[in-house]
Amino acid sequence: VTLGLEIDTVKMEARLPAKKITKGIAIAEALLKAKSVTKYDMESAAGFYSFCSSVVHLGRAFLRRIWDFTASFNRSKAPRQSLSPGARQDLIWWRDLLTKFNGIYFFEDNERAAVTLFSDASSFASGAYFISEDGKWPLIQHAYACPHTHPTLHINYHEIDAILRSFQYWASLWSHKEVHIMTDSTTAFYAIKNHSVRGLAMDPLRQLLLLAAQHDVKLTPHWISSQNNRLADALSRLDIKAITDLTGWQNLSLSNLLPGTFARSTKTDRAIPPIT
């Protein structure tokens, strides 16, 4: 044990020891059973889980609402408060799934096949496509365009939701692979990189990270300019003419872009910037 963590040089893994797992579950159970909690209770829990998140995969993604609730004591004169729904959900995750996600590798000992996902969101729809190497040319394998379910939400929510939708449709095809996520949204880029984002966008981010973990998908985000994201932009704007011009697809309609539709084009190398 080093600095409170178990270091396994055989599996090349760092993880929480059994005593800390027991403590983490006990803290969550006590807070969930309490009718109300103090700021000190929440600061202690948030601090402990922040330490744990260094070796608990997805831990940071399930800390945001605990910290947000802790900060709410600064705006209230009440010495005790009932748990917020969000903080309660995060504590349930720590109670039920801490053991499942405990442990991170120092480095990966296997080379993963790469997939490149391009996504974008407009004010009324989202769109995405992915490519993988198939022979000589990188070919588009799947694409979708879909109006927003909740169009009044902030664009940051929709940018991350566009990526989440891609995983909901295609994660089973990406199992054990590395997905390079190309986005022109700095919010989406940093959210995936840091496993955290402020506001309602945290909801689709959590779902995205859980799907990736369930399918053993390594996420590698990249920020690209809008100029290099033209096809995803056209998909998100439901712009059939621009999509046709960029891909060479013929007789295209929105019904062709329903999730799961297979589409290929050797012209797509013009629309794919290099990964840097």
Side-chain angles (χ1 to χ4, degrees), residues 92-259:
I92 290 172
W93 186 92
W94 283 97
R95 182 194 66 186
D96 296 345
L97 297 177
L98 175 55
T99 54
K100 180 177 180 180
F101 289 99
N102 179 36
I104 59 171
Y105 292 112
F106 298 144
F107 54 84
E108 294 200 10
D109 59 359
N110 62 314
E111 293 187 2
R112 294 172 179 256
V115 170
T116 306
L117 171 69
F118 293 78
S119 71
D120 198 19
S122 67
S123 60
F124 56 89
S126 61
Y129 68 95
F130 77 85
I131 61 171
S132 62
E133 291 293 335
D134 185 0
K136 183 177 180 181
W137 301 105
L139 306 178
I140 294 177
Q141 293 191 320
H142 291 70
Y144 87 83
C146 185
H148 296 320
T149 305
H150 306 289
T152 59
L153 293 179
H154 194 277
I155 189 62
N156 289 343
Y157 178 98
H158 296 307
E159 292 283 5
I160 298 174
D161 187 61
I163 301 169
L164 169 61
R165 284 177 180 268
S166 302
F167 273 76
Q168 290 172 333
Y169 301 146
W170 306 319
S172 62
L173 304 177
W174 300 339
S175 293
H176 314 300
K177 296 181 180 181
E178 179 176 8
V179 176
H180 293 271
I181 299 173
M182 316 301 277
T183 175
D184 57 17
S185 166
T186 55
T187 297
F189 168 77
Y190 284 111
I192 296 169
K193 181 179 179 180
N194 298 326
H195 287 191
S196 184
V197 66
R198 290 186 179 278
L200 292 177
M202 193 68 211
D203 292 335
L205 177 63
R206 285 190 193 90
Q207 296 178 60
L208 166 63
L209 295 173
L210 280 170
L211 271 175
Q214 290 166 3
H215 291 273
D216 185 30
V217 176
K218 179 182 178 182
L219 303 181
T220 304
H222 303 264
W223 181 87
I224 58 174
S225 68
S226 297
Q227 179 63 24
N228 286 330
N229 205 30
R230 289 180 295 164
L231 178 52
D233 177 78
L235 288 164
S236 74
R237 298 178 186 280
L238 310 181
D239 188 338
I240 296 298
K241 183 179 185 305
I243 296 169
T244 301
D245 291 343
L246 288 166
T247 64
W249 296 337
Q250 301 299 317
N251 302 318
L252 184 64
S253 67
L254 290 181
S255 62
N256 300 137
L257 296 170
L258 291 174

Side-chain angles (χ1 to χ4, degrees), residues 259-271:
T261 299
F262 188 80
R264 297 166 67 92
S265 170
T266 56
K267 291 180 62 179
T268 56
D269 58 299
R270 298 183 310 171

Side-chain angles (χ1 to χ4, degrees), residues 38-59:
T38 66
K39 182 178 181 180
Y40 177 79
D41 294 334
M42 296 309 300
E43 286 178 335
S44 297
F48 179 76
Y49 291 136
S50 293
F51 166 79
C52 295
S53 67
S54 63
V55 293
V56 175
H57 190 50
L58 302 188

